[in-house]
Amino acid sequence: MDNNNRRESREEYRKRMEERIQKQVNENRQREEEEQTTEPPRYQPDDNNYQGPQGNFEPPVKHHYKMPNWMRALIWLLIILVALGGFYEYHKVHSAATGMFANGDGKISKKLQRGEPVSVLAMGTDVGALNRGNKGGNTDSMELFTINPKAKTITMTSVPRDILVRVNTDDGPDYVKLNAAYAIGGPKQSVKQVKELLGVPIDYYAVINMGVLEKVVNSVGGVDVDNPFAFDYEGHHFKKGKQHLNGTNALKYSRMRYDDPNNDYGRQRRQQQILQNVIQKFKTSGSISAANKILDAVGDGVKTNIPIDDIATLYGNYHGAMDNVKTYHFQGQNATIEGVSFQIASPKEINRVSRLVRQQLGLKPKKVVNHETRMYKSQPNYDGYNNTDFILPGGASYNDPGSGNGSDYVVGGRSRLESDETSSITSRSSRRQTQIYESPYNYEYGY
């Protein structure tokens, strides 16, 4: 290569490698010729078993099979080609991942080096699948991955996109669905909301344009799913039971929502089926070449804050976890707010999922107390079944930043408050409208 950082073509790379191989073969041949012309050392009187010129015992003669030069050269050639081939594939991985991964600083994460459990929030956006370009949009799906290399386990926890959350903005608190956090503050805001909602650390995020799912599935030769019921969607009939899907039909299979008796939860399960099968197929091939096929398929449809310097360590220390993939579901309760359908996370469900995730990360369980649990406990009549009318706290309005008084409690609805929180209602309610209540996670979880 020249000094202008020009990317080396594949043909130039192959030529350079052939020259290196030929050089190695010539050196081996020269070394063998020198060994043949060199007289072997004679036994000296102090050698073992030597009995002098008059002795009857002669040193044993060892007959060695001498490998022909052409065979030795061939073996060297094969070894070098295998080694360099692997290097070339890794070089392709690094090149293809440059636009996908975050820029590195040359340092490898100590957490990854030690092989500690990590978590990744994967967010699927609807812009690619619906041909709206690659900008904007809410998160169509959210999966929290935990990777535990010691337990050799990956867990996928589906987080409902319609869960009610409080997002702190420059204009004040805003009460929206979880999937809107991405539109408000990008992937970092989405990560922040899930961390606060579940009381768990999240190490990395990945934003996935759902349009690339089709290419990824095709790159592994399709996926096998077990469909719980027959349905038609976008011109294709999906029969009940096990079936093999190509990329186009896998994307359709993952998107159908309204004909599913479980609504978005049913779609989440179908999406998990596809992701789980992709992971299993990649694990079966288990090669850098297979990784390259997926990276080529993904193109610019995935963005992550995982540093590019950590790729090799992440694959080397964590790929064994693909042996066992488990799926979990976060189950919300139905609610209606100002005529809009929501899902509400009960404190019991929040803490159940939090314990599962923290256990996979090797962390002790902690009771989660946050905006969402306090809103839930301050409801005077809501139960998620017979009464689904949910009242926003502090007189706030849905999707109206700064509305209300900033309290986490329903005005006049204190019958379900815990006794140790009741005394603080008055002080919280008296705050100015534009003030933002500080998240309890700042001191409870150290995030």
Side-chain angles (χ1 to χ4, degrees), residues 61 63 67 107 147 160 172 175 196 218 230 273 300 345 359 409 413:
V61 178
H63 299 278
M67 183 181 295
K107 299 179 180 179
I147 311 171
Y175 299 91
E196 290 185 349
N218 285 334
Q273 279 187 26
D300 62 353
Q359 181 181 12
Y409 305 98

Side-chain angles (χ1 to χ4, degrees), residues 125-291:
T125 64
D126 60 8
V127 290
L130 302 181
N131 298 316
R132 300 176 186 169
N134 293 320
K135 296 181 180 179
N138 296 333
T139 49
D140 192 53
S141 62
M142 304 182 79
E143 292 279 348
L144 180 57
F145 285 79
T146 65
I147 311 171
N148 190 320
K150 294 181 180 178
K152 292 186 176 181
T153 302
I154 293 177
T155 65
M156 295 189 298
T157 304
S158 292
V159 183
R161 67 176 193 168
D162 293 339
I163 287 287
L164 173 68
V165 294
R166 166 178 163 157
V167 178
N168 291 336
T169 71
D170 292 338
D171 296 323
D174 194 6
Y175 299 91
V176 296
K177 295 181 179 181
L178 181 59
N179 68 337
Y182 183 81
I184 294 173
K188 292 184 179 179
Q189 186 67 50
S190 297
V191 169
K192 180 180 179 182
Q193 296 305 140
V194 176
K195 286 170 62 175
E196 290 185 349
L197 178 65
L198 297 178
V200 299
I202 298 177
D203 300 292
Y204 305 107
Y205 67 76
V207 181
I208 304 170
N209 184 320
M210 292 300 288
V212 308
L213 179 63
E214 177 179 346
K215 297 179 181 179
V216 170
V217 169
N218 285 334
S219 73
V220 297
V223 294
D224 300 310
V225 299
D226 190 0
N227 187 18
F229 62 93
F231 64 89
D232 294 301
Y233 188 73
E234 293 186 346
H236 184 81
H237 176 72
F238 295 89
K239 66 180 182 179
K240 180 180 179 180
K242 297 180 179 180
Q243 55 202 285
H244 185 79
L245 303 178
N246 61 19
T248 300
N249 290 331
L251 180 59
K252 295 178 181 180
Y253 183 75
S254 71
R255 287 179 53 197
M256 193 279 287
R257 176 185 183 187
Y258 295 107
D259 290 337
D260 194 309
N262 291 315
N263 297 315
D264 199 44
Y265 294 103
R267 179 170 63 171
Q268 289 173 5
R269 290 185 178 92
R270 281 181 271 114
Q271 290 172 346
Q272 285 185 334
Q273 279 187 26
I274 294 173
L275 293 174
Q276 192 171 13
N277 201 251
V278 168
I279 292 173
Q280 289 172 345
K281 288 207 165 188
F282 175 69
K283 174 62 178 177
T284 301
S285 58
S287 66
I288 296 179
S289 177

Side-chain angles (χ1 to χ4, degrees), residues 390-436:
F390 194 91
I391 304 174
L392 291 179
S397 297
Y398 160 62
N399 200 20
D400 185 7
S403 63
N405 59 21
S407 169
D408 280 334
Y409 305 98
V410 174
V411 175
R414 305 180 182 179
S415 60
R416 297 175 62 184
L417 294 178
E418 294 181 342
S419 59
D420 60 342
E421 295 178 339
T422 304
S423 61
S424 64
I425 296 177
T426 302
S427 62
R428 289 194 179 106
S429 299
S430 64
R431 295 188 179 186
R432 295 178 59 186
Q433 178 175 331
T434 57
Q435 286 182 322
I436 301 174

Side-chain angles (χ1 to χ4, degrees), residues 17 31 36 66 68-69 72 121 149 159 232 235 246 253 259 275 278 322 338 381 407 420 422 438-439 442:
M17 293 302 99
R31 187 181 304 112
Q36 291 176 356
K66 188 168 186 60
N69 290 341
R72 187 186 299 271
L121 180 64
V159 183
D232 294 301
N246 61 19
Y253 183 75
D259 290 337
L275 293 174
V278 168
M322 289 187 287
E338 300 174 19
N381 300 310
S407 169
D420 60 342
T422 304
E438 183 179 8
S439 169
N442 292 335

